Amino acid sequence: MPSLVSASSTSLQEEPALYAERPEWNDVTPLSQYEDAAPIAPIFYSAEYKDATDYFRGIVKTGEKSERVLQLTESIIRLNPAHYSAWQYRYETLLALDSPVDVELKLMDELAVSFLKTYQVWHHRRLLLMLTRKPAPELKFIAASLKVDAKNYHTWSYRQWLLAFFNDDDLWAGELDFVDAMLTQDVRNNSAWHHRFFVVFQSGLREGETDRARIIRRELTFVKQNISLVANNPSAWNYLRGILDTKDLPYSRVEEFVRPYALTTHDSTTDLVDLENPPPPPGAQLPCPAAIEFLADIHEKEGGKDRILLASELWRSLADEHDMIRKKYWEYRIREALKRVK
Amino acid sequence: MSTAPSSKSQLAIPLHVSYIKALGENKDDLAYHLTSHLRLNAVYWGLTALCIMGHKDALDRQETIDFVMSCWDDEAGAFGAHPDHDAHMLSTLSAIQILTTHDALDRIDIPRVVEFILSLHQPSGVFAGDSFGEIDTRFTYCAVSALSLLGQLHVLDGEPMERTINYIVRCRNFDGGFGSCIGAESHAGQVFVCVAALAILDRLDEVDVETLGWWLCERQLPNGGLNGRPEKLEDVCYSFWVLSALAILDKIPWIDADKLTEFILSAQDAEGGGIADRPGDMVDVFHTLFGVAGLSLLGYPGLVDLDPVYCMPAEVIEAKGLRKPWKALERRHA
């Protein structure tokens, strides 16, 4: 949130004149906020903000929808992008004036960079997109925003909305490459992993994606390769788990892959490059707690006394050494599993 | 030589109380987080924090009620964040929470507020925040909590209820968590609102307790703090979002309570009072509430019980017969 104390230096106005000082605004009666109530949670206004919002209240009262209202709402938004009333009124004004939406979008491009964490910027974009019906350029815009803040929740959520709302095969077509690029930048970006899951498993069947068995193999290979690049990556392990859970596949399918990651030392006895089971990267910190957990889950799911005991040993090692902060959770897993064995 | 613990290892209640009281006295360095679109919410945060610290009367009851009523938007039939602001779901819930805590619900025009809330119910089942149309599972929680506190949950009976629950369920992700809307990433804040809404609606059967409980306890970082999603930074507010979800699922024991307590306490401002998002950062009333709320759920001595579903004093919720199954840690004695 921008500080209300500092004057906006991003204003497009050449002179920093208050609306109260502009003759062309003489016909509007500014309305102050009601300040008589208890000064609990007070507001510290800059003169600029107070002036702009006083005039905003003035034109809301008269219901004016004009070009200068666009100018006024822009002033307010630049000072306080979370002022939802200003956004709402701006949108209504754009509609009333039948303003060129492309121009508005360009302005939003500029504001989005400064105010990425503010929901209203993204919601306003949604409304504009529903008017323009031109989603393709948005993908580039979103990618550019993510360069600034790669994990911004609103930005990713907006991309998901765009893809689902327009549901155009051409829009979906580039997504896997896009996620790949984002993960190449930062393989620990949970938002990117989530987005991949959304694109691959939660958006229906599209042309070229109908061979689900092939898709599953492809995704398993993808996530395993990424784990073999950076082993201690919770998002990747969650993704692996997610594929198997969603498709009801046995965890044992990846037992051979997981095992080396749960060992204390690298197994350097083999030179074979196993594409199906890419090993931990050299220098990786082993054992990988997520792998120990996964192996324990594999044993638990296989069932039977021996396997459950193996699982318990693994959970014990997590509780006592490799993931002590969740000691109580691992002890819970041991207790529950042993109950079933008895 | 004195071995008294430093103020960093204790909750400095008197300091936080005076910090919140001082919010009524125009301190520049606190104003950064207090803009008009949050003002009513800020009053709720401040009041609730005071209640949990046992100092409910530190803010004048009548003045508070008067301020809430000054936020009434008579055109919409609900509450805005500040006088002359348009009604919004968030501020409407805050108003109801404040008036409930102060036993002044009789001031509200309940039918009009119910109408406002219902007007924001979307065909998909989610609620919008305002007529601008922002949708988010947060607003589902606000709607459900508000109606519940007003004793009007029955207005959703039948198809509207099914639609509401169905939308939440569709926000459930492969990791057991919930997002802000269908397809969105699991996020601790969204997990809280979805789980708490399901609790109010008696539909916790829709939660995969084991998987979500595990996802929630995975939020704890080595420094004891909690984050909101994998590979993000710890933040004191997650001490509430994550912890309350765990309380509702009766899984608080799964996290390391001592380390989390230490983390929250280390984010206090030992001089001016208030709690920040993490140690060393600037404090604000939002993080002060959620830090204190988290400590209450962790059984910190000297605090009042908090209901995690409503994020209000437990005895207020119990008196209204709204208590749902949840479990906090036992209150320790100093």
Side-chain angles (χ1 to χ4, degrees):
Chain A
M1 262 189 296
S3 168
L4 293 177
V5 176
S6 63
S8 169
S9 54
T10 58
S11 171
L12 289 174
Q13 319 305 331
E14 271 170 302
E15 67 283 347
L18 298 179
Y19 286 90
E21 291 162 5
R22 300 185 210 187
E24 67 272 23
W25 282 85
N26 274 347
D27 59 307
V28 175
T29 310
L31 298 172
S32 287
Q33 280 183 329
Y34 169 52
E35 278 290 351
D36 287 359
I40 303 160
I43 290 122
F44 184 84
Y45 301 114
S46 66
E48 243 183 318
Y49 186 69
K50 185 180 183 331
D51 171 68
T53 51
D54 284 353
Y55 274 82
F56 177 67
R57 274 181 286 277
I59 55 95
V60 166
K61 190 152 186 143
T62 60
E64 183 180 330
K65 301 255 166 70
S66 64
E67 279 296 327
R68 67 178 181 178
V69 166
L70 288 183
Q71 185 192 86
L72 176 58
T73 50
E74 185 184 330
S75 301
I76 294 175
I77 284 161
R78 283 178 182 279
L79 290 167
N80 181 7
H83 194 302
Y84 53 84
S85 305
W87 281 102
Q88 194 170 333
Y89 202 82
R90 183 183 179 81
Y91 179 69
E92 289 168 21
T93 305
L94 287 167
L95 290 179
L97 296 178
D98 202 15
S99 282
V101 184
D102 291 358
V103 172
E104 180 70 2
L105 257 178
K106 274 214 165 47
L107 175 64
M108 290 304 117
D109 286 0
E110 189 204 323
L111 289 185
V113 174
S114 319
F115 304 131
L116 277 175
K117 289 213 190 299
T118 309
Y119 180 87
Q120 278 73 16
V121 160
W122 296 102
H123 186 68
H124 193 70
R125 265 196 112 79
R126 269 185 193 76
L127 295 174
L128 298 176
L129 260 291
M130 292 200 278
L131 293 174
T132 66
R133 306 249 142 196
K134 282 190 277 179
E138 283 299 283
L139 292 178
K140 262 183 91 177
F141 172 77
I142 295 167
S145 301
L146 287 174
K147 273 199 167 33
V148 177
D149 181 2
K151 300 183 185 183
N152 188 296
Y153 194 82
H154 299 315
T155 313
W156 281 103
S157 170
Y158 178 67
R159 194 176 182 99
Q160 281 136 21
W161 170 82
L162 192 83
L163 290 163
F165 183 80
F166 290 98
N167 202 17
D168 188 300
D169 278 359
D170 287 339
L171 277 186
W172 289 106
E175 283 312 280
L176 287 185
D177 284 344
F178 173 70
V179 170
D180 214 354
M182 291 302 294
L183 289 176
T184 303
Q185 264 171 54
D186 179 6
V187 73
R188 296 176 185 279
N189 188 331
N190 193 65
S191 306
W193 282 102
H194 170 85
H195 190 72
R196 192 177 180 98
F197 199 91
F198 170 75
V199 169
V200 175
F201 295 110
Q202 294 180 309
S203 50
L205 293 174
R206 290 183 301 283
E207 207 189 295
E209 298 276 311
T210 45
D211 183 350
R212 297 316 280 173
R214 183 183 69 83
I215 302 290
I216 289 165
R217 281 197 303 276
R218 180 191 74 198
E219 292 305 299
L220 284 174
T221 303
F222 181 83
V223 68
K224 286 189 219 165
Q225 278 171 353
N226 275 290
I227 291 175
S228 80
L229 283 176
V230 174
N232 279 293
N233 182 0
S235 305
W237 287 99
N238 283 358
Y239 191 80
L240 176 59
R241 204 179 272 280
I243 300 170
L244 300 173
D245 287 345
T246 279
K247 292 294 152 191
D248 264 317
L249 298 169
Y251 279 22
S252 54
R253 178 166 169 163
V254 295
E255 185 169 351
E256 214 186 313
F257 164 72
V258 173
R259 203 174 276 285
Y261 292 84
L263 297 174
T264 321
T265 52
H266 288 260
D267 177 9
S268 49
T269 58
T270 172
D271 288 331
L272 278 177
V273 174
D274 185 351
L275 291 173
E276 194 56 28
N277 302 302
Q285 202 172 5
L286 294 181
C288 176
I292 300 177
E293 179 184 354
F294 213 104
L295 197 53
D297 282 343
I298 292 172
H299 289 317
E300 190 191 29
K301 283 183 195 297
E302 288 300 292
K305 187 164 176 201
D306 290 341
R307 294 280 237 168
I308 297 285
L309 286 177
L310 283 175
S312 300
E313 276 167 31
L314 291 168
W315 288 321
R316 188 83 259 157
S317 78
L318 286 168
D320 292 344
E321 201 181 336
H322 302 298
D323 193 29
M324 297 191 297
I325 202 154
R326 270 167 283 279
K327 189 184 188 75
K328 302 237 192 69
Y329 173 70
W330 301 119
E331 289 175 345
Y332 165 82
R333 294 295 298 270
I334 295 171
R335 276 198 313 274
E336 290 299 300
L338 291 179
K339 267 191 218 166
R340 292 199 293 280
V341 164
K342 292 213 163 106
Chain B
M1 193 137 79
S2 167
T3 51
S6 71
S7 61
K8 281 204 174 239
S9 58
Q10 283 191 108
L11 183 64
I13 291 180
L15 270 181
H16 301 317
V17 170
S18 56
Y19 165 79
I20 295 172
K21 283 188 73 159
L23 293 176
E25 286 151 32
N26 241 328
K27 282 195 178 175
D28 294 359
D29 58 356
L30 304 175
Y32 176 75
H33 295 280
L34 301 178
T35 62
S36 61
H37 69 285
L38 287 177
R39 185 158 165 172
L40 190 50
N41 305 313
V43 173
Y44 154 71
W45 297 328
L47 173 62
T48 307
L50 288 172
C51 288
I52 302 309
M53 292 189 287
H55 287 265
K56 182 175 173 182
D57 302 325
L59 289 176
D60 185 82
R61 177 180 180 272
Q62 197 52 54
E63 278 178 21
T64 306
I65 293 171
D66 287 346
F67 176 72
V68 171
M69 296 318 296
S70 75
C71 294
W72 176 255
D73 170 358
D74 200 45
E75 206 187 298
F79 294 88
H82 192 274
D84 287 333
H85 268 245
D86 294 338
H88 195 282
M89 187 72 91
L90 289 170
S91 34
T92 298
L93 175 62
S94 292
I96 293 170
Q97 287 170 310
I98 295 165
L99 293 177
T100 302
T101 300
H102 275 318
D103 195 19
L105 272 183
D106 55 302
R107 299 292 305 268
I108 293 185
D109 183 344
I110 293 179
R112 289 207 70 201
V113 172
V114 170
E115 200 188 309
F116 170 77
I117 293 172
L118 290 179
S119 76
L120 294 172
H121 201 187
Q122 306 301 301
S124 65
V126 73
F127 283 80
D130 56 27
S131 51
F132 191 35
E134 176 185 356
I135 64 161
D136 189 315
T137 45
R138 277 185 301 155
F139 305 134
T140 296
Y141 168 74
C142 291
V144 163
S145 177
L147 290 172
S148 168
L149 290 168
L150 294 175
Q152 300 290 314
L153 207 44
H154 59 268
V155 304
L156 290 178
D157 279 349
E159 187 274 337
M161 184 73 79
E162 284 315 304
R163 194 181 356 136
T164 302
I165 293 166
N166 184 257
Y167 188 90
I168 299 175
V169 171
R170 284 156 70 204
C171 290
R172 200 173 53 206
N173 291 314
F174 65 91
D175 49 22
F178 295 85
S180 62
C181 48
I182 299 173
E185 188 185 356
S186 298
H187 180 288
Q190 314 297 147
V191 167
F192 164 72
V193 295
C194 288
V195 170
L198 288 172
I200 294 173
L201 300 174
D202 296 317
R203 291 301 301 270
L204 284 174
D205 57 293
E206 291 290 356
V207 176
D208 179 348
V209 176
E210 299 288 311
T211 307
L212 180 54
W214 165 84
W215 187 89
L216 286 166
C217 76
E218 289 279 310
R219 297 304 107 241
Q220 192 162 32
L221 297 170
N223 64 18
L226 306 177
N227 65 16
R229 5 171 204 160
E231 296 297 301
K232 294 277 289 183
L233 289 178
E234 66 286 350
D235 185 322
V236 159
C237 66
Y238 295 117
S239 309
F240 178 71
W241 309 127
V242 172
L243 214 51
S244 53
L246 284 171
I248 295 169
L249 304 179
D250 188 12
K251 301 282 183 253
I252 289 193
W254 283 3
I255 58 145
D256 187 325
D258 290 339
K259 288 205 94 171
L260 178 57
T261 298
E262 253 175 64
F263 171 76
I264 299 171
L265 292 175
S266 72
Q268 297 178 96
D269 178 342
E271 281 154 31
I275 301 177
D277 58 356
R278 62 187 69 86
D281 282 356
M282 206 163 75
V283 304
D284 61 57
V285 67
F286 174 84
H287 289 94
T288 303
L289 166 61
F290 293 122
V292 167
L295 289 172
S296 176
L297 291 173
L298 293 171
Y300 193 85
L303 293 178
V304 168
D305 287 354
L306 174 95
D307 183 304
V309 173
Y310 292 90
C311 192
M312 288 169 63
E315 74 176 356
V316 171
I317 298 302
E318 262 161 48
K320 293 185 72 82
L322 293 175
R323 200 206 195 276
K324 296 294 165 186
W326 53 264
K327 203 147 177 246
L329 293 185
E330 285 277 308
R331 181 82 43 219
R332 295 189 296 289
H333 297 289

